Amino acid sequence: MKKEIFVNETASERRIAIVEDSVLVEFYVEKPHHQGMVGNIYKGRVENVLPGMQAAFVDIGYEVNAFLPFSEISNPEYLKDTSTSDDDDNDENKSKNQNKEIDVELETGQEILVQVIKEPFSGKGPRATTNIAIPGHLMVLVPNTKFIGVSKKIWDKYEKRRLRKIVRHFAPDNTGIIVRTEAEGKSEKVLKKDFDMIIKSWKVVEDKAQSIPASSLIYEDYENVSSIMRDVLTADVDRVAFDSRKLYRRTQSYLQNVSPELASQLEMYRGRIPLLEREGIENDIEKSTRRRVWMKSGAYLIIEQTEAMVVIDVNSGRFIGKKDHEQNSLSINLEASHEIARQLRLRDIGGLIVIDFIDMKYEKNKMKVYQEIRSELRKDRAKVAVSPISDFGLLEMTRQRIRLSLLHSLREECPTCGGSGHIASKDAVITKIENWLKQFRNQSREIRLKLTIHPTLKEYLKSSKKDIIRRFMWKNFMHIEVVEDDSLLPDEFRFYSRKSNREITDEV
């Protein structure tokens, strides 16, 4: 599989596209003037402790308090994907610790170090943990613990032992280390360089924690290259192209310290056609925010994002099958499994996801689709959990949510419809106008008004509702002048007093 990364920098944002075999599979948008919060460490102050919710709220200086679940207090969630012994990936001690009841001692007003693990979303504050972790390219530093964990994605047990032996040489006794997959095959010198960088960052955190007041940012997870670039620059990348000389040099310098062999994969793009346009990615980016996703067979997906969950509906569309209904349904569902897994990665969709596959009779076919989507989701760097297809043809799954989805990164809520995708119908607006007039007549003796409306509504009144304004005037014993104003929204109207020439819409 050929894997390429394209980095495009504009005046207002940085865009990172990951392409596998000429197919866009991941896309990230970073806004230099508005960095994300994930990975940042804060000196916070406990505002509320709610045993009933099994959580606390911590003031970190953000407009909404951070949410700190009790399960994120001294409970090493990050050990799930690491082995902490040389011989057994399912370390017995680790599972015992995970099942042990957590004794939480927090008080209102208490100062505490927390790290953000989820971005704020839809009015909710960021999610935080007390399990501080400082990530590097090859390893992660976990202060105030004592273990050496190695990524489970490193299969060779002799390589795991070699890495542990190297790390033991330079890691202090009171420091935990997680060796990342990218460290496989690296020399002690390169590993030590990465460790020195992250231990230096931690010492800065310790010093700041002693000197600055609560509710303050102590450490920002943003290095010479972005946190996204740090995580995606792995050994399986064949090419990384930049259209920004500054970012190209930063990344080159960063890799010389942690993975010198990867520096040769970097290239500076000098073409006149914009980089993402040249690679045919811009069109895919535009499609990535649409509700409807067409597949090669003529079938399509409908992807609806709500606050509580994401719903994906599989439709046969223009698909013309030559087999019976069951086999046609199986064929569409298998194709949909591939496309759904790609769309989840591409759109960076997180949280609860419900997929409505086309109905199938036989359990063996449902199992085929279940196994297919599970197989495709293994390519995803985010953590996922998938349940089998239910009797109603629904598959439920969860995907780790860290950043905002691509939809929220590339689009803003429509000021007209408020994000619903709908506005009031013309007849509904006319009803609002009628109700306004009734209320106004009850509280005022003024009889000469001016009504301003959008041109489309005025045209509708002329063509379909010719006598409606005349009827309003007779009914309320007043004169109404109708004026169009294209600066208004289609479902807006404004009333003005002709006597004083002032707007009176909000007085009713």
Side-chain angles (χ1 to χ4, degrees):
M1 179 178 67
K2 186 178 181 182
K3 187 173 181 179
E4 300 170 289
I5 299 174
F6 301 100
V7 185
N8 162 238
E9 194 158 52
T10 68
S12 60
E13 59 187 20
R14 179 182 301 144
R15 305 188 298 169
I16 302 168
I18 301 175
V19 175
E20 293 176 358
D21 291 334
S22 302
V23 177
L24 181 66
V25 293
E26 293 180 45
F27 185 75
Y28 301 98
V29 178
E30 294 180 327
K31 302 183 188 299
H33 60 281
H34 177 68
Q35 296 300 334
M37 297 178 72
V38 169
N40 291 355
I41 299 173
Y42 297 83
K43 183 177 181 180
R45 178 180 284 107
V46 179
E47 289 286 303
N48 305 95
V49 181
L50 305 172
M53 285 183 65
Q54 284 288 285
F57 288 91
V58 182
D59 178 10
I60 60 172
Y62 184 64
E63 56 193 44
V64 182
N65 288 337
F67 179 69
L68 176 63
F70 288 172
S71 60
E72 288 292 347
I73 300 174
S74 303
N75 187 28
E77 172 74 17
Y78 38 72
L79 290 183
K80 285 186 178 178
D81 294 324
T82 65
S83 58
T84 53
S85 75
D86 288 328
D87 303 309
D88 189 1
D89 280 356
N90 300 311
D91 194 334
E92 240 177 80
N93 293 329
K94 182 172 62 175
S95 53
K96 280 180 186 175
N97 287 336
Q98 286 173 352
N99 294 328
K100 186 179 177 182
E101 189 175 333
I102 303 166
D103 184 20
V104 174
E105 295 181 5
L106 280 181
E107 295 178 0
T108 301
Q110 180 180 338
E111 294 183 353
I112 185 173
L113 277 188
V114 295
Q115 186 169 34
V116 172
I117 55 175
K118 256 183 203 176
E119 296 285 355
F121 176 73
S122 193
K124 298 175 182 175
R127 186 182 176 110
T129 180
T130 62
N131 303 308
I132 307 297
I134 310 284
H137 187 64
L138 305 178
M139 59 186 74
V140 179
L141 176 74
V142 187
N144 305 319
T145 57
K146 189 177 180 181
F147 71 89
I148 297 173
V150 179
S151 167
K152 286 184 178 179
K153 291 182 180 178
I154 299 177
W155 298 100
D156 188 337
K157 68 178 181 179
Y158 298 106
E159 175 63 5
K160 286 184 177 182
R161 288 175 183 173
R162 183 187 77 87
L163 290 169
R164 280 198 183 89
K165 188 176 179 182
I166 289 173
V167 172
R168 284 191 190 107
H169 285 168
F170 52 72
D173 289 339
N174 65 335
T175 305
I177 296 291
I178 298 172
V179 182
R180 304 178 76 167
T181 311
E182 189 56 28
E184 188 171 9
K186 296 292 189 296
S187 68
E188 180 170 356
K189 182 181 177 182
V190 173
L191 290 166
K192 180 70 164 55
K193 259 188 183 180
D194 196 56
F195 174 79
D196 288 342
M197 287 170 65
I198 54 180
I199 198 71
K200 184 179 177 182
S201 296
W202 171 240
K203 285 176 180 174
V204 170
V205 171
E206 284 188 305
D207 291 342
K208 279 191 175 181
Q210 298 297 323
S211 59
I212 68 173
S215 308
S216 301
L217 174 65
I218 292 180
Y219 167 81
E220 194 168 8
D221 184 24
Y222 193 72
E223 306 178 14
N224 289 332
V225 297
S226 73
S227 59
I228 293 172
M229 288 292 289
R230 179 191 62 212
D231 293 338
V232 300
L233 284 169
T234 54
D236 60 344
V237 174
D238 298 289
R239 175 188 173 212
V240 187
F242 299 82
D243 62 6
S244 162
R245 184 175 296 279
K246 182 180 177 182
L247 192 56
Y248 168 75
R249 286 177 176 167
R250 273 189 194 173
T251 310
Q252 195 175 46
S253 173
Y254 170 74
L255 288 179
Q256 291 294 349
N257 287 323
V258 295
S259 288
E261 72 283 358
L262 276 179
S264 62
Q265 310 298 87
L266 307 185
E267 68 175 57
M268 183 65 208
Y269 175 73
R270 295 183 174 85
R272 292 187 177 183
I273 301 172
L275 176 60
L276 300 189
E277 189 73 48
R278 164 81 170 71
E279 298 297 331
I281 295 171
E282 287 287 4
N283 193 38
D284 287 336
I285 295 169
E286 183 60 33
K287 289 179 181 177
S288 68
T289 56
R290 295 178 187 170
R291 289 175 64 249
R292 184 169 302 202
V293 179
W294 287 98
M295 297 184 285
K296 288 181 180 179
S297 66
Y300 64 89
L301 309 174
I302 293 291
I303 302 176
E304 291 282 6
Q305 295 194 44
T306 71
E307 187 171 337
M309 68 177 73
V310 174
V311 180
I312 302 176
D313 185 28
V314 182
N315 294 274
S316 56
R318 298 191 292 258
F319 177 84
I320 301 173
K322 296 181 180 178
K323 299 178 182 178
D324 60 43
H325 176 74
E326 182 75 7
Q327 285 303 309
N328 289 340
S329 299
L330 175 62
S331 177
I332 294 170
N333 287 339
L334 289 173
E335 183 187 19
S337 298
H338 287 256
E339 189 59 36
I340 288 168
R342 184 177 86 92
Q343 290 295 328
L344 293 179
R345 288 177 68 191
L346 176 57
R347 298 173 186 235
D348 205 8
I349 292 171
L352 179 62
I353 300 155
V354 177
I355 304 167
D356 183 9
F357 285 105
I358 295 175
D359 289 341
M360 296 174 291
K361 287 182 183 178
Y362 304 118
E363 283 300 320
K364 66 175 184 179
N365 290 335
K366 291 181 182 180
M367 189 53 64
K368 280 182 185 177
V369 174
Y370 169 66
Q371 295 293 354
E372 189 70 20
I373 196 165
R374 281 192 65 190
S375 174
E376 286 298 307
L377 287 169
R378 288 193 187 103
K379 301 173 185 176
D380 199 335
R381 291 185 297 116
K383 295 174 185 175
V384 296
V386 189
S387 66
I389 296 175
S390 71
D391 293 339
F392 299 106
L394 302 176
L395 181 144
E396 296 174 19
M397 63 170 287
T398 59
R399 185 177 182 273
Q400 183 184 23
R401 177 192 284 144
I402 297 176
R403 303 176 182 88
L404 295 179
S405 71
L406 193 60
L407 179 67
H408 290 94
S409 297
L410 295 179
R411 295 287 184 266
E412 293 181 355
E413 189 177 274
C414 170
T416 304
C417 70
S420 70
H422 301 276
I423 60 172
S425 69
K426 295 178 182 66
D427 288 316
V429 178
I430 293 170
T431 300
K432 287 181 181 179
I433 291 171
E434 183 177 8
N435 290 337
W436 187 96
L437 286 168
K438 286 178 182 176
Q439 292 182 62
F440 178 78
R441 200 73 186 94
N442 286 334
Q443 64 187 51
S444 174
R445 294 182 179 180
E446 193 163 351
I447 60 170
R448 293 172 60 80
L449 302 178
K450 181 171 74 173
L451 168 64
T452 60
I453 54 177
H454 191 271
T456 56
L457 182 57
K458 187 174 181 184
E459 183 60 33
Y460 179 70
L461 290 173
K462 279 184 181 178
S463 59
S464 303
K465 305 283 183 181
K466 293 179 182 178
D467 298 323
I468 195 81
I469 297 296
R470 189 185 299 275
R471 198 184 312 158
F472 289 167
M473 289 194 286
W474 278 108
K475 202 170 184 180
N476 295 286
F477 300 105
M478 61 173 57
H479 183 270
I480 302 170
E481 177 189 0
V482 180
V483 178
E484 64 180 57
D485 182 355
D486 57 11
S487 69
L488 293 178
L489 298 175
D491 60 349
E492 275 188 314
F493 64 88
R494 294 281 182 269
F495 273 103
Y496 294 85
S497 164
R498 294 184 66 185
K499 183 178 179 181
S500 60
N501 201 28
R502 63 186 179 85
E503 187 184 344
I504 55 173
T505 317
D506 297 332
E507 292 181 12
V508 171

